[in-house]
Amino acid sequence: MSPLIEITDPRVFDPATILIDVRAGANAHERYLAGHLPNAIFATLDDDLAAHPEDPAKGGRHPLPSLKDFAATLSRWGINPDSHVVVYDDKNAAMGGARLWWMLRSVGHTNVQVLNGGLKAATDAGVELSTDEYQATPVEAYPIPEKYNHTAEIEEVKAAAKADNRVVIDVREGARYLGHTEPLDLVAGHIPGAVNLFYSNSLSPEGKYLTSQALATLYNDTIGNVKPEDVIVHCGSGVTACHTLLGMEYAGIKGPKLYVGSWSEWSRNDLPIATEANGL
C-alpha cells in the first residue's frame, strides 16, 4: 500500500475508513471546528501523539506517548488492526499527519495512508468541509507490541554520525542547521557529522509530495550507498522528520530510523555542537 492517498480516491470518504484530522498549536481545536473533512476525528499532536515531557533532555520536546496510552487513543478512535486509516493535517503532512502515520507503522499497523497535500488538497478539490465535531465509536484495546520499532536512541546517533557506513539526516531548515538561528531550542547548530536535507525539498509548489522517482533521486543523492536501515532521520523534536520518512517510504527507501529526541534532546545534553562558524 502506498503511504500516500489522493483526495480523488473514493476510499478517503468510504464509511469504513477511519479518517483522522491532526492539528498542532494552541488553537488546534478551533481550527478543526472552523473546517475539516466530513467524519474526520479530531486529534492533536501535543496530547495524542506525544507525551508531555518532564525534561526535554530525556526524549526531547515531543517524546512518544507510552504504548499503553497510544493503545488507549487508538481504541478511542475506533481503530483495530484491520482498520484502513487515512490521516491528514493542515501543514502538508509536515506536522501531525506524517507523525501519526509513522507511529502506526512503528507498532505494526500497515493499513494507513496520508492524504497527499493535506487539508489544502481537499479545499482545492472543492470538498465541502464540516464544522461539526465527529465522535468515533470506541473499540476494544488495540494490541500494541512491546516497543516502537525503527527508532534510534541518542547513543546510537552519536556512533552513527561518526561512521562512514551510516548517515544521520537533519531535516530542519538550513539556517537552523548552520547555527544562524534557533527559534525553539536552547542552542543553535547541528549534530557533528549530520547532513542537512530540508524536509520541504520533498514538496511541489502545490504542497504535495514530489513523484516517487523525484524523491528517490533527492534522497539517494543524500544517502549514497548507505543501506536504508543504517540511516537515521531527525529534526527539532521528532515530528517533521516523519515527513521525510514518509517521503522515503513513498520513494521505495524502507527501513530508516527516527531519532525521536532529535535536536531538542541532543542540544540539552552538553554534547558537541557543530555550526557554520566552528566548522565541526
Side-chain angles (χ1 to χ4, degrees):
M1 173 176 288
S2 170
L4 294 173
I5 190 169
E6 300 296 329
I7 190 63
T8 52
D9 193 314
R11 292 175 296 171
V12 173
F13 298 107
D14 188 318
T17 297
I18 307 293
L19 188 60
I20 302 179
D21 179 311
V22 186
R23 302 292 176 119
N27 62 342
H29 194 236
E30 288 80 2
R31 298 202 322 275
Y32 166 84
L33 291 177
H36 55 83
L37 297 189
N39 298 330
I41 300 166
F42 170 67
T44 69
L45 170 64
D46 292 318
D47 294 332
D48 296 316
L49 308 185
H52 295 284
E54 295 181 4
D55 181 4
K58 299 177 181 179
R61 287 183 282 106
H62 286 110
L64 292 169
S66 71
L67 288 162
K68 179 181 178 181
D69 286 347
F70 189 42
T73 297
L74 297 181
S75 172
R76 174 165 54 85
W77 290 340
I79 296 174
N80 62 49
D82 296 323
S83 298
H84 179 212
V85 181
V86 172
V87 302
Y88 71 92
D89 60 30
D90 56 354
K91 303 292 183 183
N92 305 118
M95 292 297 288
R99 168 82 166 209
L100 179 53
W101 169 85
W102 181 89
M103 288 172 64
L104 282 166
R105 292 296 303 271
S106 180
V107 299
H109 193 101
T110 58
N111 197 8
V112 55
Q113 296 176 289
V114 172
L115 180 61
N116 195 11
L119 186 64
K120 182 179 183 298
T123 56
D124 287 349
V127 174
E128 184 175 352
L129 302 183
S130 171
T131 57
D132 297 328
E133 180 133 22
Y134 179 74
Q135 297 295 332
T137 301
V139 294
E140 62 184 31
Y142 193 100
I144 291 286
E146 294 183 356
K147 65 177 183 178
Y148 289 101
N149 295 305
H150 302 294
T151 64
E153 300 297 331
I154 196 167
E155 292 301 324
E156 182 179 357
V157 177
K158 289 179 188 178
K162 298 176 182 178
D164 292 335
N165 62 343
R166 303 202 67 180
V167 174
V168 176
I169 301 175
D170 183 332
V171 307
R172 296 174 301 155
E173 62 183 317
R176 294 178 70 188
Y177 171 84
L178 293 171
H180 295 172
T181 184
E182 181 45 62
L184 298 172
D185 291 307
L186 303 179
V187 184
H190 63 270
I191 298 170
V195 299
N196 186 221
L197 180 61
F198 189 28
Y199 76 88
S200 71
N201 289 359
S202 66
L203 294 171
S204 70
E206 294 76 31
K208 290 189 174 186
Y209 277 91
L210 301 175
T211 66
S212 58
Q213 294 86 354
L215 289 173
T217 298
L218 175 69
Y219 299 134
N220 284 321
D221 283 348
T222 301
I223 295 170
N225 295 323
V226 173
K227 297 177 181 178
E229 58 267 29
D230 292 326
V231 175
I232 298 173
V233 182
H234 78 93
C235 53
S237 67
V239 177
T240 54
C242 296
H243 178 278
T244 295
L245 289 165
L246 189 155
M248 287 180 167
E249 178 84 12
Y250 185 53
I253 302 170
K254 303 176 186 294
K257 296 179 179 180
L258 171 66
Y259 172 29
V260 179
S262 287
W263 183 247
S264 58
E265 179 182 62
W266 183 279
S267 61
R268 288 171 168 83
N269 276 279
D270 195 27
L271 294 168
I273 291 174
T275 66
E276 184 177 41
N278 67 26
L280 289 180

